[in-house]
Amino acid sequence: MTKRFFIPLAYILFCLPPARAALANNAAYIRDVEGLLNSVGTRDSSRPQLTLKLADAFINEALTLSSEPTPSAQTIARTKTARRRAVQLYQDSLTGLKGQFRKPSGNARGKIQFQLARLYADLGENQTAESIWKDLASEVSMPEVQRESALRLAEVLENRGGAGELKEAEGYYKRALTLCSNQDVCSYIHYRLAWVFQRQEHAKDAIQEMNQALWDSKGQIREEALRDLIGFLGGQPDDGKDSLDQIEKLSGKLKRPVLIGELSGSYFSHGNRHAGVYILDVVNRKSPSLKSYVRLMEEDYGFRDWDKFATDIDGAMDLHDKGDAGDLDSEKILRRLTVQLDGERVSSPKSIAHFKKAVMLYLALYPTRNERGQMIDGWIAATSESAEKIDQLKIWIAEDVQAKRQAEEVRLRKIRASLAQTSRDLKVVIEEMTALQTFTQTSAQTREGLYQIGFAHYQNEDSAKALPIFVELALLPKSGAPDKWSIQSEHLALDILANKKDFAAVQKQAHLWTADPRYAGWVRDTQEHWEELAAIRKVETSARFEAATQLGNKPEALTVFAEDCEANVLLPQSCANAKVLAVKLGDQKTLIAILKKLGKKDELAAELEASAEFSEAATLLERNLAGHPVSTRDTLKVALLYELGGSKVTRDRLLHALVTHLMASK
C-alpha cells in the first residue's frame, strides 16, 4: 500500500493542538485544565468547553507518545490510558455531562462523534469506530464531517483489500470527492481512488484519477503522485507511445527530462521490454548517455537485433572517447553481456565480432577492474588473426606499462612473444623477449630469455646477432653439467658456423666441449640430453673432415683422411679421399697403408713393387696364387720378385715347385 497523504484535521477539532513547546510539557497542561475544571461549580457554563479541552489534551498526549519510534511497554500503556480518558470525556460531553447541560447537537455533536470514532480505531475497537463513521457519512447536514467519515471508512476498507471491500471503498471515496472543496483534500481523494482502481486492475481509471492527484493547492507537483503515475503507466501492456506523449508534456512543464527515463524504467520493471526499449531509445536520442547505450545493448542482445547492437556499441564507444565514464550498473551489464556472447562464439560465429567489440568497450571503460585479464584472454581466444592479436597486445602492454601493472605486463609480453613465435614474426619475438629480460628474477630465467632472443635472430637468419648469444650461453659451467640452454646453444652455434663453411671454427667450438675432462661423464650419466651431448663429438669429427677437404691437395689434408681411415671414422669417404690424395701427392707409404686398410691386394702389390718392396710384393702375390691353377707366368713373376728382394731360398722353392708341376703334367 502506498503511503497516505497527511491531511490536517485541525479544523474539526475543538481546539488547535498545543505548540511544540507545550507538547513537551503536556502533563502539566493536562493538570492545569483538570485543575481549572475541578475549580468551577458543577453547573458552571464553562464546564462543557473545559471538558472538551481536556479530552483534546489527552488526544495530543496520546499522539505525542505514539510518535516515538520504539515505544516502551510503559509508553504503550500510557498511550492507551490517555485515549481511554479522552473517550470517557467525549462520551460525557455527548450526554451533556450526564444531563447537567444541554446535549450537543448538529455539527458539534458530529465532531465529537468523529473524534470518538478515531479513538476507537486507535484502541482497536474497529467495529465501533466504523459504525460511527457510517452514520456520520450519511449526515448531509455536516459536509466536512461527512467527507472525513467517508474517507476514514474508505481507507479502512481499502486496507482490508478484498474485492468487495475495494469496491465499497471506491464508493466512499467517490462520495468524499463530491464533498471536497479544498484542492489538497481533493488531490488526496483522487490519489486514494487511483490506488483503489489500480488494485482492482482498472488501469485506465487509475491513471485518470492519478492525473487529477498530481497538483496541490499551490500548483506544485505532488512527487508521490507523479511517481505512482509513472508506475501505473509502465504497467500497461501497450507500446509506450501514448504514455511517452503524456510524460513528455509533464517533463517539459516541470523542466525535468529525467521523467522520460523513469517511464522507460517503469516499463522495464513491469516486464514490458519492447515499450521500455522504445522509450529509452527516444531518451537516448535526445540526450545520449553511455548508461543508456549499455542498457540498450543488453536489450538488443535479447532481441537479437545485431544491427542495432552494433550501432549502440559504437555510440557508447564514441561517448567514451568524448570523456563519458561508465558507472557500476553499466559495468555489471557489460560483464554479463560479454559472458553471454563469449558462450555463443562456438555455436554462433557471428557473435564473435560483437563479443570482441563489447570486450573493447569494457576495457576502455573499466581498465583497472580485476576482470581486465579475463576480458583480454577472451578477446585473444576469439580472434583468429595473429597479426591482429599482436598489434592489440602491444596497445594493452603500453597501458600496463603506463599504469605500472608489472605482473600483467609480463604476462601479456609472454603471450605476445608466443604468438609472434608461432606466426614467425621474429622481430616481435626479439622485442618482447628483450623487454622481458628486465623482469627475470633467476639465472635460469635470464638464460632462457637470452636463448629465445638468440633463436629468434637465428630463425630470422641474422647469424651475426645470434652467434654471440649462443657462444655465450654455450660456455661450460665451472661445476655441474651444462643445462639445456647450453646444449641447444652449442648445437645452434655449430650449425651457424657450419653454414658459413667455417669448419675450422666449428671444430674449435666443438673441441671446447669434447676436450673437457668431464665430457665423457656427461655423455654417460646425463639421461635427458646424452644424445645431443654425444652428437657434439660427431660434429667435431665431421668438421675436422670438412676442414681437411677445404685444404685441397695438401699433406695436412692427407694426414687427416689417413688417420680417419685407420680409425674407421667417416668410412668409406675418409679412406677414398686418403687414397686419391696419396696418389696425387706421391705418398706411396701412406697409399700402401690405405690399400692395406682397404684390402686392395692387386693394387697394393703393384704399389709395393713400384716402391721396391719386392719381397713384400712377392709375399702378397704368392698368397693370391693360392687356391688357383698353377700359372707359369705368375709363378715366375713372384720368383723374380723374391730374387730382386734377396730371398733366393724362397725363389728356389717356387721354381722347384713349378718344375715338379710341369714334369707331372708333361
Side-chain angles (χ1 to χ4, degrees):
M1 175 63 67
T2 303
K3 183 180 177 183
R4 180 190 188 280
F5 283 130
F6 174 70
I7 301 298
L9 301 175
Y11 53 85
I12 65 170
L13 299 177
F14 291 97
C15 64
L16 292 174
R20 186 176 299 273
L23 285 172
N25 198 19
N26 200 57
Y29 178 78
I30 291 174
R31 284 197 301 271
D32 290 342
V33 176
E34 280 185 318
L36 185 59
L37 181 62
N38 292 330
S39 67
V40 300
T42 57
R43 301 293 296 176
D44 192 291
S45 61
S46 64
R47 287 186 67 82
Q49 188 69 14
L50 288 173
T51 301
L52 291 174
K53 283 182 177 291
L54 185 58
D56 290 345
F58 278 116
I59 285 182
N60 289 333
E61 182 181 38
L63 289 173
T64 302
L65 292 170
S66 63
S67 65
E68 293 184 13
T70 54
S72 64
Q74 183 180 5
T75 299
I76 294 172
R78 286 181 58 194
T79 303
K80 187 174 182 180
T81 298
R83 287 169 176 161
R84 286 294 183 193
R85 288 293 307 278
V87 167
Q88 180 185 355
L89 290 167
Y90 282 133
Q91 286 176 338
D92 285 347
S93 296
L94 287 175
T95 63
L97 299 182
K98 300 179 180 178
Q100 296 184 51
F101 299 92
R102 182 184 296 176
K103 295 180 181 179
S105 61
N107 284 342
R109 180 178 180 81
K111 291 176 180 179
I112 295 173
Q113 288 177 311
F114 183 84
Q115 289 293 76
L116 272 172
R118 288 182 62 197
L119 288 167
Y120 284 130
D122 290 339
L123 289 166
E125 298 177 22
N126 296 319
Q127 190 172 1
T128 303
E130 290 175 37
S131 177
I132 296 173
W133 280 328
K134 284 182 180 180
D135 290 339
L136 293 175
S138 301
E139 290 287 347
V140 294
S141 61
M142 299 181 291
E144 290 183 355
V145 173
Q146 183 185 14
R147 181 193 66 223
E148 293 301 320
S149 298
L151 273 176
R152 290 288 181 167
L153 280 171
E155 288 172 344
V156 169
L157 293 165
E158 181 186 356
N159 285 331
R160 289 176 182 166
E165 290 157 330
L166 286 173
K167 190 64 179 175
E168 193 175 355
E170 176 189 334
Y172 278 115
Y173 278 131
K174 287 180 177 179
R175 183 186 302 181
L177 197 57
T178 63
L179 299 170
C180 75
S181 57
N182 178 282
Q183 173 65 26
D184 292 325
V185 176
C186 292
S187 293
Y188 171 72
I189 298 171
H190 282 299
Y191 180 81
R192 292 266 41 99
L193 186 55
W195 268 106
V196 169
F197 281 131
Q198 181 71 7
R199 295 179 67 184
Q200 293 180 91
E201 299 183 358
H202 299 161
K204 291 185 178 180
D205 291 330
I207 292 170
Q208 182 179 354
E209 291 298 326
M210 195 61 75
N211 270 307
Q212 297 185 70
L214 288 176
W215 308 98
D216 64 14
S217 58
K218 297 178 181 180
Q220 296 178 338
I221 194 72
R222 291 187 181 277
E223 296 296 336
E224 191 171 15
L226 176 60
R227 184 179 66 246
D228 289 344
L229 173 63
I230 292 174
F232 289 178
L233 291 171
Q236 297 182 104
D238 59 6
D239 58 11
K241 294 180 180 179
D242 292 338
S243 298
L244 174 62
D245 182 61
Q246 180 177 349
I247 296 301
E248 278 185 324
K249 292 175 181 176
L250 261 177
S251 68
K253 183 176 181 179
L254 297 171
K255 293 183 174 55
R256 288 162 63 177
V258 70
L259 295 179
I260 304 175
E262 292 176 3
L263 177 63
S264 173
S266 178
Y267 273 110
F268 279 125
S269 66
H270 285 90
N272 191 340
R273 293 169 56 206
H274 285 279
V277 168
Y278 169 76
I279 297 172
L280 182 58
D281 209 29
V282 171
V283 172
N284 201 45
R285 284 199 301 272
K286 291 183 176 181
S287 180
S289 72
L290 199 147
K291 184 174 183 178
S292 294
Y293 272 125
V294 172
R295 181 63 190 273
L296 285 169
M297 285 166 53
E298 183 177 38
E299 297 303 327
D300 297 335
Y301 169 79
F303 294 135
R304 292 298 190 269
D305 190 346
W306 297 116
D307 292 338
K308 183 71 165 45
F309 183 93
T311 300
D312 287 334
I313 199 170
D314 288 341
M317 187 63 81
D318 183 59
L319 282 184
H320 164 70
D321 294 339
K322 293 177 181 177
D324 199 348
D327 61 346
L328 289 179
D329 288 339
S330 297
E331 188 275 334
K332 292 177 182 177
I333 292 173
L334 267 179
R335 179 153 38 98
R336 187 163 61 241
L337 262 178
T338 55
V339 170
Q340 292 169 327
L341 287 167
D342 189 32
E344 291 187 8
R345 284 194 295 110
V346 176
S347 60
S348 179
K350 65 181 179 181
S351 300
I352 294 175
H354 304 302
F355 166 72
K356 290 168 62 177
K357 292 184 75 172
V359 168
M360 296 302 291
L361 177 61
Y362 184 94
L363 293 174
L365 293 174
Y366 311 102
T368 60
R369 296 281 301 186
N370 293 333
E371 291 78 8
R372 182 176 187 272
Q374 297 173 356
M375 291 288 177
I376 289 174
D377 291 344
W379 187 94
I380 292 173
T383 304
S384 58
E385 294 295 330
S386 293
E388 184 182 358
K389 297 179 189 178
I390 291 170
D391 291 344
Q392 184 57 51
L393 278 166
K394 185 174 183 179
I395 296 173
W396 286 329
I397 289 169
E399 292 173 353
D400 287 331
V401 172
Q402 181 70 24
K404 297 182 179 180
R405 294 187 290 261
Q406 290 189 356
E408 185 65 4
E409 177 190 348
V410 170
R411 188 181 80 89
L412 295 187
R413 286 191 184 279
K414 288 181 179 180
I415 293 174
R416 189 167 186 251
S418 176
L419 289 169
Q421 180 70 51
T422 303
S423 62
R424 296 189 64 79
D425 192 341
L426 302 174
K427 290 183 179 180
V428 172
V429 175
I430 295 167
E431 173 190 343
E432 294 303 339
M433 295 310 301
T434 302
L436 284 169
Q437 286 298 96
T438 307
F439 302 99
T440 56
Q441 298 177 347
T442 65
S443 174
Q445 291 175 340
T446 301
R447 289 174 61 77
E448 179 182 2
L450 279 174
Y451 174 82
Q452 296 295 346
I453 294 170
F455 189 67
H457 283 306
Y458 172 80
Q459 290 179 302
N460 203 32
E461 299 182 358
D462 192 347
S463 59
K465 292 181 180 178
L467 183 59
I469 296 174
F470 292 142
V471 169
E472 178 185 351
L473 290 172
L475 292 174
L476 291 172
K478 293 181 179 180
S479 62
D483 60 15
K484 68 176 182 178
W485 311 120
S486 292
I487 297 170
Q488 293 176 8
S489 295
E490 173 70 3
H491 276 286
L492 289 170
L494 295 174
D495 185 65
I496 291 172
L497 294 171
N499 288 332
K500 291 182 176 182
K501 306 297 183 184
D502 190 351
F503 296 109
V506 173
Q507 184 180 353
K508 180 180 179 181
Q509 180 66 32
H511 193 67
L512 293 174
W513 285 57
T514 59
D516 192 292
R518 299 170 292 176
Y519 176 74
W522 293 336
V523 175
R524 181 185 66 250
D525 300 332
T526 304
Q527 297 180 356
E528 186 177 357
H529 302 292
W530 72 269
E531 289 181 309
E532 293 96 321
L533 286 165
I536 295 174
R537 187 177 294 283
K538 295 179 182 178
V539 173
E540 180 186 14
T541 300
S542 297
R544 181 171 176 268
F545 182 89
E546 294 295 340
T549 302
Q550 288 180 331
L551 291 173
N553 299 328
K554 291 184 178 181
E556 294 86 347
L558 178 58
T559 300
V560 172
F561 295 146
E563 289 177 354
D564 285 350
C565 181
E566 285 295 331
N568 294 321
V569 174
L570 297 177
L571 295 178
Q573 193 62 39
S574 58
C575 291
N577 285 4
K579 176 183 174 184
V580 171
L581 193 53
V583 172
K584 289 182 178 181
L585 295 175
D587 189 339
Q588 288 185 318
K589 181 179 179 181
T590 300
L591 180 59
I592 290 171
I594 296 302
L595 291 174
K596 287 181 179 179
K597 176 71 176 177
L598 295 174
K600 302 289 186 179
K601 295 180 180 179
D602 292 340
E603 293 181 47
L604 178 58
E607 290 299 325
L608 289 170
E609 182 180 352
S611 61
E613 298 290 340
F614 300 119
S615 295
E616 191 174 353
T619 300
L620 184 60
L621 288 174
E622 184 180 1
R623 291 173 185 163
N624 289 341
L625 293 176
H628 296 283
V630 177
S631 169
T632 302
R633 178 185 176 86
D634 292 339
T635 302
L636 289 174
K637 180 179 179 179
V638 172
L640 176 60
L641 289 172
Y642 275 128
E643 181 179 345
L644 292 173
S647 299
K648 293 181 180 180
V649 175
T650 307
R651 177 203 63 188
D652 292 344
R653 176 179 56 77
L654 282 175
L655 292 175
H656 179 74
L658 179 60
V659 170
T660 302
H661 173 71
L662 291 173
M663 289 178 67
S665 61
K666 299 181 181 182

